[in-house]
Amino acid sequence: MNIENIELRWNLIGNGLKELNRSEILNLLNDYYNTDKKLKGIIKEYQLNLKPTQVVKAFPPFMTELKCPYDGARMLQKLPSRTFPEIMTRKEYCPKCGHKNMEMCRCDNCIEGEKSKRKKCRELIERTYSQENHEKILLSLLSLKDRLYLSALLRATLSEDAKEIKPIKLKENKLAPTKEMEKDILNYLIDRQIIKVAPDSPLEAFPEDSPNYPNTYYIYKVNYLINVQDENLDHEELLKRLEYPSAEEFLSAPEECLILWKEIAYQEVIEFLIYRMMQ
């Protein structure tokens, strides 16, 4: 390492080296990086009151060409250990605001920027999935398959206040015999617009790198709202009808029920087969 070409910040030198003048420190750095001298020998030669693990930490940082995105100050960087000279254990940092050139920087500016970003994302999600944009489906238009799938979903994931369908990944009860059928049920209800994404869904449910943000989302992570209405029923009564469909409705359509039963029975056989194979 060419010490002479590095622009050091002398005012930030560690306490253990402040007794040395600049010429001595430059010689020490040259001995450390460009000779085979042992660290213990360097400590003894320069009469440092430091442990071997403290020496590199006391070195002054050096100026980089990178500028802080917040205040324009030239960012600093710690000198590396010669054991791993290719690895900078600490990223560039700003001497004014403390910003670090890393994705998880927690400086005040980054925290405030993250808050502002999350606020904008929340507002966009709320506008995109506002209930005002939902055209509800009449209860009378639901098929038996619609009712069966929605009933299963409500029993597995309905929130305690009965206002929302919780994310599927948080479900407490089983939704379907297999993961494949679980996914099919969810996609079916979404495609039929029987359930809609809730505007208060967690931000993490919407991939930030999506070019179609926030219209792209993880179906197992968002909250859902029931998009069904009946003008003659209040919310509580409607919910009861949806969660516990009338048996008479299914008994009156035996052929359709047989098709549904075969579909469920097939998935249960697969579930049992997987279970036995795991034994």
Side-chain angles (χ1 to χ4, degrees):
M1 181 182 292
N2 192 337
I3 304 301
E4 298 295 335
N5 292 336
I6 297 177
E7 188 176 350
L8 299 172
R9 281 292 298 268
W10 295 103
N11 61 316
L12 296 178
I13 195 169
N15 290 330
L17 299 180
K18 287 185 177 180
E19 292 77 10
L20 305 179
N21 59 43
R22 293 190 180 185
S23 177
E24 290 174 322
I25 293 175
L26 288 174
N27 289 335
L28 186 157
L29 292 175
N30 186 66
D31 287 343
Y32 179 78
Y33 288 109
N34 301 319
T35 72
D36 295 329
K37 290 183 179 181
K38 302 294 184 181
L39 184 55
K40 289 184 178 180
I42 293 175
I43 292 174
K44 184 177 181 180
E45 179 180 348
Y46 291 90
Q47 300 180 354
L48 303 179
N49 187 24
L50 292 171
K51 296 179 180 179
T53 57
Q54 298 174 323
V55 175
V56 176
K57 294 179 181 179
F59 289 169
F62 64 93
M63 304 284 286
T64 70
E65 296 303 318
L66 187 67
K67 292 186 178 181
C68 176
Y70 297 110
D71 53 39
R74 287 178 64 186
M75 301 185 78
L76 305 180
Q77 193 166 15
K78 290 284 188 180
L79 287 168
S81 165
R82 68 179 178 184
T83 307
F84 302 103
E86 73 283 0
I87 300 177
M88 292 298 186
T89 56
R90 296 191 180 185
K91 296 293 184 179
E92 300 91 343
Y93 66 95
C94 177
K96 287 187 177 181
C97 69
H99 171 67
K100 294 181 179 180
N101 186 30
M102 56 190 297
E103 186 176 348
M104 297 302 294
C105 176
R106 303 307 295 165
C107 73
D108 290 343
N109 286 321
C110 283
I111 291 175
E112 190 60 35
E114 180 64 20
K115 287 181 180 178
S116 177
K117 178 182 177 182
R118 291 179 69 87
K119 182 180 179 181
K120 291 179 180 178
C121 288
R122 170 54 59 202
E123 291 173 349
L124 180 57
I125 291 171
E126 289 178 351
R127 287 198 306 270
T128 303
Y129 297 100
S130 170
Q131 293 189 60
E132 296 178 358
N133 301 330
H134 296 177
E135 183 177 347
K136 293 185 178 294
I137 298 174
L138 295 177
L139 175 62
S140 59
L141 297 180
L142 295 183
S143 67
L144 290 184
K145 187 174 183 177
D146 296 340
R147 292 172 183 269
L148 180 63
Y149 280 4
L150 182 56
S151 173
L153 182 64
L154 294 178
R155 295 188 193 192
T157 61
L158 189 64
S159 62
E160 292 184 4
D161 60 9
K163 291 183 178 180
E164 282 189 340
I165 297 170
K166 296 183 295 185
I168 305 302
K169 68 172 186 174
L170 302 178
K171 69 181 186 301
E172 298 178 359
N173 301 314
K174 199 168 187 177
L175 175 57
T178 64
K179 291 292 184 182
E180 181 182 357
M181 188 175 187
E182 183 178 271
K183 185 177 180 180
D184 288 343
I185 289 175
L186 198 54
N187 282 323
Y188 176 86
L189 294 173
I190 293 171
D191 292 342
R192 293 272 291 161
Q193 299 186 22
I194 294 172
I195 59 174
K196 291 281 191 176
V197 175
D200 64 348
S201 294
L203 298 182
E204 293 71 23
F206 304 87
E208 294 183 12
D209 57 352
S210 170
N212 200 28
Y213 184 91
N215 293 297
T216 301
Y217 56 88
Y218 299 110
I219 62 173
Y220 286 145
K221 294 183 178 182
V222 294
N223 301 330
Y224 293 98
L225 295 174
I226 303 169
N227 194 44
V228 178
Q229 70 173 3
D230 188 306
E231 296 179 356
N232 299 319
L233 301 175
D234 60 22
H235 178 74
E236 184 176 352
E237 184 60 31
L238 175 63
L239 199 58
K240 288 181 180 179
R241 296 279 188 92
L242 295 175
E243 194 169 1
Y244 301 99
S246 171
E248 285 75 16
E249 297 180 64
F250 290 87
L251 292 174
S252 63
E255 293 183 2
E256 187 173 351
C257 286
L258 180 60
I259 295 174
L260 292 173
W261 175 81
K262 287 182 178 180
E263 180 182 352
I264 297 170
Y266 173 73
Q267 294 296 328
E268 288 179 337
V269 170
I270 294 177
E271 177 189 31
F272 181 71
L273 178 61
I274 295 174
Y275 170 77
R276 290 305 300 267
M277 291 176 64
M278 298 293 291
Q279 297 302 303

